[in-house]
Amino acid sequence: MSPETIQTLKLCGIVILLAPLAGAILSGGLGPVWLKSRAHWPAIWGVGTACVCAIIVLLTVHGAGAEHPSASIPIYDWGLDAAGKAFLVDFLIDPLTAVMLVTVTFISLLVVIYSRDYMREHGHPERGYERFFAYLALFVFAMCTLVLGGNFLLLYLGWEAVGLCSYLLIGFYYGRPAAAAAAKKAFLVNRVGDFGFGLGILLIYLTFGTLEYGAVFDMVQQGVTASGVALSDGRVTAIALLLLCGACGKSAQLPLHVWLPDAMEGPSPVSALIHAATMVTAGVFMVARCGAIFASSETAMTVVASIGAVTALFAATIALVQTDMKRILAYSTISQLGYMFLGAGVFAADSAIFHLFTHAFFKALLFLGAGSVMHAMGGVIDVRRFSGLRKVLPWTFITFVVGSMALAGVPGLSGFFSKDEIIHHAFSSHWLLGTIGLVTAALTAFYTFRMVFLAFAGPVRVPEGVHAHESGGWMLLPLVVLSVGAILAGYVGVASKPFHEFLAPVFAHTFAAHGAHGHGGWTVEPTFWEEYGLMFVSGAIALAAIAVAYVLYVRQPWIPGVIRATFEGAYRTLWNKWYVDELYDAVIVSPARQLGRIAVALDDYLIDGLLWAITAVPRGLALVLRTMQGGVMQGYALSMVAGITIVLLLVYWL
Amino acid sequence: MNPLSGYIVVGAILFALGLVGFMSRRNLIVIFLSTEVMFQGVVINAVAFSRLHEHLEGQVFALFLLVIAAVEAGLALGMVVLLYRRRGTLDAEAWSLMRG
């Protein structure tokens, strides 16, 4: 890239980082005393500025062309090592960064705008209004650091900051025990993943002597370490799996998914932010970014794909029976993230990012729509307690259906193209992965429209004492914009696939070597039937699943009860989320609590007892000595005289 | 017999009287008067020894003691007045806060 372009990118990158940070500081700092009900302005302006700059970055990188896809822009050298190579503050700006930045800032901007009305009751800001916007902006700052950073250290910095912000936002209603518990859970589960992630980064530094992306990936591809020794397979696999550990935590993949559904305790815009733009996409982004490392290890790729596929199916089955709208959406997010991991694991990282991109639109839309329902229903979000909302909330209904269709993979909408692509790649890797993808797609369509039909179809029924009303313009605007996005976002990735072409330089040299594995994607042109046959099948499956949901929940509403009664055991298992929480409770939480009890007992009896024994000595002594303190002046005088007399007698005799 | 013994005996008697008074009486003013008596016993001793040794240091000490006794009398009486105001009695037993 030319120096001018790099200068532009550098400036934009700095603004993208500093604008949301400034927004956070101003919202939080000036909010309580001066801005009050206007505390959203700094956050909106900050994130908005970042969004504009992100679009400029995208256009600049796109304009630079495929010959110069990336720029590493040093900002600041911490000078921690003599060579000045290991620890830098620098940006790596390439098509992947640009796409992520635009997705993150654009969705976040809409969420922040939406929150202006959502965080109000009858036009008055809720308690903690300014705090909320400060956290939102800080979240965007953290996510942009993660995406922009040109080395693993900045990645880790953003990674942890994102975790912190999620903790703050999930626990926003810190007075509610459930919210406080959910925040702690999210933080702790993420710590488990981050521990592995941190180890992975340390291992990278030990192996390659640097944390710069470019240098590390080059060495991985050449198969050498910093000292010039050949890189062993085991070590690459170890690095990849440790990194994956972090990704599983952040992106809520199977062993560490438990925090995400509980994160619903935060306000709805937070869910939209976490599920669509920030936080959970970090894991997918990281796996895509470190494609070179993952691709060098057959084992790691298999693990990534398997975790993705299993998680996708697993979460989808749970979503079938849940009744909390936000919880259904949470499981669908886990499921869709599973698709992204599946994509990344079958050498289709660009498809994974494509799905991330489209998913951001419709998932943000769905969460904001659910928030709108919740707002109108006076905080109730259980689909059993209301129905027929299509008449009460027409705008929310239309936008929500658009989002649901995109999520369900109805042909023509964004989710269809990206999901189909991943299933396609999965099939070209292993038939089992592809089949799981298809089954999950059917389940997705079913549970999504189950939720839609339960909430919006049927006779109008709202919780008692609730005056249902459509949300105001500040909330509807993001919904409408996102619906347009949910419909159109997919078209950047079809036909001539400009999206993939744009991203290709990032992954091409990484995955090109692995084209020999017989995968489809960009290395082998699929035949007409391979491409369109599957498209037809998955589209038909989605529509069929929606039809089944229609029959079950609108036409013949008695059937679900019968099914539930017939498969009582299965229903219970799904309702209790496969008892994963109970399992963790039994295997990890309870033993930890027992350990804590033992520690408390030791502290109470052993240590305190020891201290008591030691203090008993002076205490006993004092018991004797205190009798000498009569408190009467003459007593002291008497003892003084007696003492002097004794001394004098001694002197006299000796 | 030592020419001084009379003085010393008088001083000792005064001191002992004061000491006994100090320890046996409960009225703060009387206790305080007893300390003055002890002072005078010491002063007599000091003057007597000064005369014996033909040295003026003892006299100087006596003067100092008298001054100090006067100052102490002022302070102590002031304190007695304050203590009386607090408790409404001159009984020394009323002030036994430091009992262990």
Side-chain angles (χ1 to χ4, degrees):
Chain A
M1 288 189 200
S2 64
E4 295 82 40
T5 322
I6 289 183
Q7 206 55 41
T8 316
L9 290 178
K10 183 175 180 177
L11 191 67
C12 283
I14 292 174
V15 172
I16 289 173
L17 285 189
L18 291 188
L21 183 63
I25 293 171
L26 289 179
S27 277
L30 299 179
V33 288
W34 182 47
L35 290 168
K36 298 203 164 128
S37 65
R38 292 165 294 166
H40 52 277
W41 282 119
I44 292 181
W45 279 109
V47 179
T49 313
C51 183
V52 171
C53 287
I55 292 170
I56 296 174
V57 167
L58 180 69
L59 295 177
T60 313
V61 173
H62 194 261
E67 292 80 39
H68 311 285
S70 75
S72 183
I73 305 167
I75 305 294
Y76 176 71
D77 180 5
W78 285 348
L80 288 179
D81 68 334
K85 280 262 193 303
F87 308 112
L88 280 175
V89 176
D90 62 351
F91 297 156
L92 174 65
I93 295 182
D94 64 359
L96 178 60
T97 316
V99 167
M100 283 299 291
L101 280 178
V102 171
T103 315
V104 168
T105 54
F106 183 68
I107 303 290
S108 304
L109 177 63
L110 292 175
V111 170
V112 178
I113 291 174
Y114 175 94
S115 305
R116 183 212 173 266
D117 265 10
Y118 186 83
M119 296 307 287
R120 282 165 193 247
E121 285 288 338
H122 309 295
H124 296 292
E126 264 184 47
R127 198 162 154 267
Y129 188 69
E130 65 283 334
R131 189 162 57 90
F132 184 76
F133 284 95
Y135 290 167
L136 282 190
L138 197 64
F139 213 143
V140 178
F141 163 71
M143 193 65 195
C144 289
T145 313
L146 192 159
V147 172
L148 267 174
N151 55 56
F152 283 97
L153 206 58
L154 279 185
L155 177 72
Y156 194 69
L157 176 75
W159 195 266
E160 293 297 325
V162 164
L164 169 72
C165 292
S166 72
Y167 168 78
L168 292 172
L169 280 171
I170 295 168
F172 180 73
Y173 298 121
Y174 53 83
R176 284 210 319 247
K184 268 188 285 184
K185 188 173 179 182
F187 198 73
L188 287 178
V189 173
N190 267 298
R191 295 284 346 139
V192 175
D194 292 353
F195 182 68
F197 189 55
L199 286 183
I201 290 176
L202 288 179
L203 195 55
I204 287 174
Y205 184 67
L206 277 181
T207 312
F208 303 109
T210 174
L211 291 176
E212 293 297 312
Y213 286 143
V216 171
F217 297 156
D218 281 348
M219 277 190 257
V220 170
Q221 269 159 29
Q222 289 155 19
V224 290
T225 66
S227 49
V229 185
L231 190 61
S232 70
D233 272 355
R235 181 158 275 217
V236 179
T237 308
I239 291 175
L241 290 182
L242 284 171
L243 293 179
L244 178 66
C245 186
C248 280
K250 273 282 171 297
S251 291
Q253 291 304 291
L254 197 48
L256 301 175
H257 69 283
V258 288
W259 65 271
L260 194 62
D262 286 20
M264 296 304 102
E265 289 296 334
S268 301
V270 174
S271 311
L273 196 65
I274 289 183
H275 288 252
T278 58
M279 187 89 182
V280 296
T281 58
V284 181
F285 166 74
M286 194 270 287
V287 174
R289 170 61 82 213
C290 302
I293 297 177
F294 282 92
S296 303
S297 164
E298 195 79 23
T299 323
M301 283 309 252
T302 315
V303 172
V304 173
S306 316
I307 284 184
V310 173
T311 306
L313 184 64
F314 170 84
T317 55
I318 297 175
L320 290 177
V321 300
Q322 300 297 317
T323 56
D324 181 321
M325 264 173 110
K326 283 168 78 178
R327 217 163 255 276
I328 298 172
L329 290 173
Y331 280 107
S332 83
T333 302
I334 299 178
S335 175
Q336 299 303 307
L337 286 165
Y339 271 118
M340 294 175 209
F341 272 71
L342 175 59
V346 294
F347 297 91
D350 56 347
S351 304
I353 296 295
F354 182 38
H355 194 50
L356 188 159
F357 174 69
T358 58
H359 177 257
F361 285 96
F362 58 75
K363 190 47 65 70
L365 169 60
L366 287 171
F367 265 114
L368 295 183
S372 178
V373 170
M374 198 171 170
H375 206 60
M377 294 295 116
V380 176
I381 196 69
D382 192 327
V383 282
R384 289 172 300 190
R385 292 185 58 192
F386 47 75
S387 65
L389 298 185
R390 70 186 181 284
K391 288 171 189 137
V392 191
L393 310 168
W395 282 97
T396 307
F397 167 64
I398 294 170
T399 52
F400 199 87
V401 165
V402 170
S404 301
M405 279 160 62
L407 173 59
V410 171
L413 281 83
S414 60
F416 170 71
F417 298 116
S418 52
K419 198 189 294 177
D420 182 64
E421 211 176 278
I422 289 177
I423 297 174
H424 172 79
H425 284 292
F427 263 118
S428 58
S429 171
H430 195 281
W431 64 269
L432 187 60
L433 295 176
T435 312
I436 291 178
L438 273 184
V439 171
T440 307
L443 295 179
T444 308
F446 177 78
Y447 67 67
T448 309
F449 273 84
R450 167 180 175 268
M451 171 176 70
V452 171
F453 290 137
L454 282 176
F456 292 97
V460 177
R461 189 163 56 88
V462 298
E464 252 174 66
V466 167
H467 170 66
H469 56 91
E470 181 60 289
S471 311
W474 287 83
M475 282 167 72
L476 289 181
L477 173 75
L479 288 180
V480 172
V481 174
L482 285 170
S483 331
V484 175
I487 298 170
L488 298 180
Y491 288 96
V492 299
V494 288
S496 67
K497 303 204 168 188
F499 189 87
H500 301 70
E501 242 168 55
F502 180 51
L503 280 179
V506 182
F507 304 116
H509 56 287
T510 309
F511 291 142
H514 299 271
H517 289 305
H519 303 300
W522 54 90
T523 46
V524 183
E525 273 301 311
T527 65
F528 179 84
W529 283 112
E530 268 176 14
E531 187 154 9
Y532 294 98
L534 187 68
M535 218 176 229
F536 178 77
V537 170
S538 65
I541 281 179
L543 290 175
I546 292 169
V548 171
Y550 180 72
V551 171
L552 256 53
Y553 291 96
V554 180
R555 288 283 138 186
Q556 312 287 339
W558 53 273
I559 300 182
V562 174
I563 298 176
R564 180 180 155 179
T566 319
F567 302 101
E568 183 66 28
Y571 173 79
R572 294 221 149 274
T573 311
L574 293 183
W575 175 252
N576 289 307
K577 307 155 229 161
W578 291 95
Y579 298 105
V580 174
D581 276 328
E582 283 76 5
L583 178 74
Y584 285 176
D585 197 61
V587 177
I588 298 166
V589 180
S590 290
R593 198 171 286 140
Q594 288 300 333
L595 200 67
R597 288 217 182 91
I598 293 170
V600 168
L602 279 181
D603 199 47
D604 277 358
Y605 295 106
L606 186 71
I607 297 180
D608 282 7
L610 211 63
L611 284 178
W612 190 88
I614 293 169
T615 54
V617 176
R619 199 180 305 129
L621 213 60
L623 217 57
V624 178
L625 289 178
R626 63 186 287 192
T627 56
M628 304 178 77
Q629 300 263 334
V632 184
M633 189 169 50
Q634 278 107 336
Y636 300 139
L638 184 63
S639 45
M640 202 167 104
V641 169
I644 290 171
T645 312
I646 291 168
V647 170
L648 285 180
L649 287 178
L650 283 177
V651 170
Y652 183 72
W653 279 328
L654 297 177
Chain B
M1 194 175 161
N2 194 318
L4 270 178
S5 32
Y7 297 98
I8 292 173
V9 167
V10 170
I13 289 172
L14 271 180
F15 188 86
L17 276 176
L19 193 61
V20 171
F22 183 86
M23 288 191 294
S24 59
R25 305 309 291 261
R26 310 181 68 169
N27 188 313
L28 281 171
I29 292 178
V30 177
I31 290 172
F32 163 63
L33 284 178
S34 307
T35 61
E36 291 297 311
V37 173
M38 286 159 77
F39 256 124
Q40 299 320 311
V42 175
V43 170
I44 286 172
N45 261 11
V47 174
F49 279 106
S50 142
R51 186 79 184 112
L52 176 72
H53 295 301
E54 301 281 328
H55 202 292
L56 283 177
E57 266 182 16
Q59 310 261 4
V60 173
F61 265 116
L63 283 174
F64 266 113
L65 280 169
L66 289 177
V67 171
I68 288 168
V71 171
E72 183 237 341
L75 270 176
L77 279 175
M79 278 170 66
V80 168
V81 170
L82 288 177
L83 293 173
Y84 178 74
R85 279 192 194 159
R86 276 284 171 92
R87 287 281 198 274
T89 172
L90 284 173
D91 191 346
E93 291 277 314
W95 298 94
S96 52
L97 295 174
M98 296 294 277
R99 188 197 302 277

